Amino acid sequence: MSEDASGSKMDETASAMTQCYENYVLVDVGANLTNKKYSRDLDSVIQRAKDAGVQKIMVTGASIRSSKEALRLTRIYPGNLYSTAGVHPHDAKSWEGMDTLEELESIANNPECVAIGECGLDYNRDFSEPEIQRSVFQKQVELACRLNKPLVIHERGAQEDVLKVLKSFADHLPPVLIHSFIGTAEEAQVYLDHGFYLGITGYLCKDKSDSGVRQLLEGGQVSLDRILVETDAPFMYPNTRASKLPVHVKDALTERSMTFLQRYCTFQRNEPCALPAIVEMVAAFMHKTPEEVALATAFNALKLFGLNQ
């Protein structure tokens, strides 16, 4: 091989390595890619996520229809997308007895479907009666126990009742992720004491309280092996321009992650390519490097949901 050829080969390798280092390897454990906001350009959305370093995305199922659609997407993007199957508390009123349960189970039985949920209780917006919510949640917890698949739980203003339902399955409860956690540090501690995982989103930019998610990360109350990161796209846009975001956190955001965020994401439509910015903010709050946070959260996701099949 001529000197020129070997030199250019080395340059290629170096550039590939640089690209590898520039990119965190990330897993988004919650994106609502079945949302109609992605109906026209889902291919581009997924490609952008890959370019940003988001290697795997869990597509959230929140109704029978969206759980089926999420599963269908995993077939189009194998190894890249995974799905969950669940009925959100808002949709609990649409539950039709054994028919719904059987349909949910048949979706959840597929290997690409890696968790049961998003299910749980939401007392902030009573779109379904609390009693119906509890009954439907209980049936999904039973299903997760029976199939031994992790639970993805949505909880708003209902921690006590969520724990009450889970307590009756304590002996054979699978791993639990509290999806898109926005509660207090105190509530977080209760979940952590139960061995649950917390999903952190762009809500970090919005949290202005002295006792919320930021406090949780800054105070060293939660260790990296209990955190997962998610965009909850198209929701939970990480508004890095928020006035209450500390300067040291803003300074931690790299040009690369900001390019993806500012070019492709908006309040109206967040995307999985926003995940690097979320990881950098989590790292700044926790006084860790973004690489550490990326590696730990990706490892947690792979371990918890078995995403390497």
Side-chain angles (χ1 to χ4, degrees):
M1 190 189 282
S2 73
E3 208 172 315
D4 282 357
S6 76
S8 76
K9 194 141 184 67
M10 281 172 73
D11 287 347
E12 273 174 45
T13 310
S15 119
M17 289 299 283
T18 308
Q19 221 171 350
C20 178
Y21 281 121
E22 273 177 6
N23 255 352
Y24 313 119
V25 176
L26 302 170
V27 179
D28 186 347
V29 298
N32 301 282
L33 296 185
T34 63
N35 190 288
K36 60 180 183 294
K37 289 184 179 180
Y38 302 113
S39 57
R40 289 185 177 175
D41 63 343
L42 187 60
D43 257 346
S44 307
V45 169
I46 289 168
Q47 188 54 54
R48 274 196 284 278
K50 276 187 190 168
D51 294 344
V54 184
Q55 304 292 331
K56 294 175 187 290
I57 301 169
M58 279 168 55
V59 183
T60 310
S63 63
I64 294 295
R65 190 196 58 75
S66 65
S67 298
K68 277 182 180 166
E69 178 60 12
L71 181 64
R72 189 183 75 81
L73 292 178
T74 67
R75 308 277 162 80
I76 302 172
Y77 304 95
N80 190 199
L81 298 191
Y82 299 82
S83 72
T84 74
V87 174
H88 192 286
H90 290 344
D91 266 344
K93 58 181 177 292
S94 67
W95 187 279
E96 291 173 353
M98 283 306 288
D99 288 355
T100 305
L101 184 62
E102 282 166 14
E103 220 169 343
L104 199 60
E105 184 160 0
S106 81
I107 301 166
N109 263 320
N110 290 276
E112 303 90 341
C113 176
V114 295
I116 303 299
E118 180 183 352
C119 60
L121 302 174
D122 191 320
Y123 292 171
N124 287 0
R125 298 178 178 172
D126 286 335
F127 289 150
S128 293
E129 287 292 322
E131 205 172 317
I132 294 169
Q133 287 188 42
R134 287 191 290 273
S135 158
V136 167
F137 177 38
Q138 180 146 359
K139 287 180 175 69
Q140 292 179 86
V141 178
E142 271 170 23
L143 181 62
C145 293
R146 191 161 72 247
L147 300 182
N148 196 27
K149 291 206 172 185
L151 266 166
V152 175
I153 292 180
H154 169 102
E155 179 265 309
R156 297 285 184 267
Q159 186 180 52
E160 206 177 309
D161 281 4
V162 161
L163 292 172
K164 213 177 277 179
V165 171
L166 295 177
K167 194 177 177 184
S168 51
F169 298 92
D171 294 344
H172 46 287
L173 201 61
V176 172
L177 167 66
I178 305 298
H179 158 73
S180 187
F181 180 77
I182 64 167
T184 64
E186 207 176 346
E187 287 167 338
Q189 191 58 57
V190 174
Y191 284 136
L192 293 168
D193 288 346
H194 279 81
F196 302 163
Y197 294 80
L198 301 178
I200 307 293
T201 64
Y203 177 78
L204 272 176
C205 300
K206 212 173 168 183
D207 173 33
K208 295 173 185 166
S209 69
D210 296 331
S211 60
V213 183
R214 291 182 186 182
Q215 178 55 40
L216 174 74
L217 300 176
E218 279 192 301
Q221 185 184 329
V222 61
S223 59
L224 272 179
D225 61 357
R226 286 283 151 205
I227 293 177
L228 292 131
V229 286
E230 50 183 330
T231 54
D232 203 21
F235 315 112
M236 293 291 183
Y237 170 74
N239 178 21
T240 54
R241 294 190 174 101
S243 57
K244 291 280 167 100
L245 204 59
V247 175
H248 81 278
V249 175
K250 288 184 179 178
D251 289 347
L253 292 158
T254 62
E255 193 182 336
R256 182 178 169 79
S257 69
M258 290 308 286
T259 301
F260 281 105
L261 184 64
Q262 290 170 355
R263 194 174 290 173
Y264 303 112
C265 306
T266 64
F267 281 101
Q268 282 71 42
R269 194 182 88 154
N270 190 21
E271 286 191 19
C273 70
L275 202 60
I278 293 169
V279 162
E280 287 168 1
M281 287 190 285
V282 169
F285 277 117
M286 293 184 83
H287 309 291
K288 309 241 180 230
T289 66
E291 289 78 9
E292 266 181 287
V293 174
L295 189 66
T297 53
F299 175 76
N300 294 344
L302 297 178
K303 181 184 70 168
L304 194 58
F305 299 107
L307 300 187
N308 40 1
Q309 66 253 29

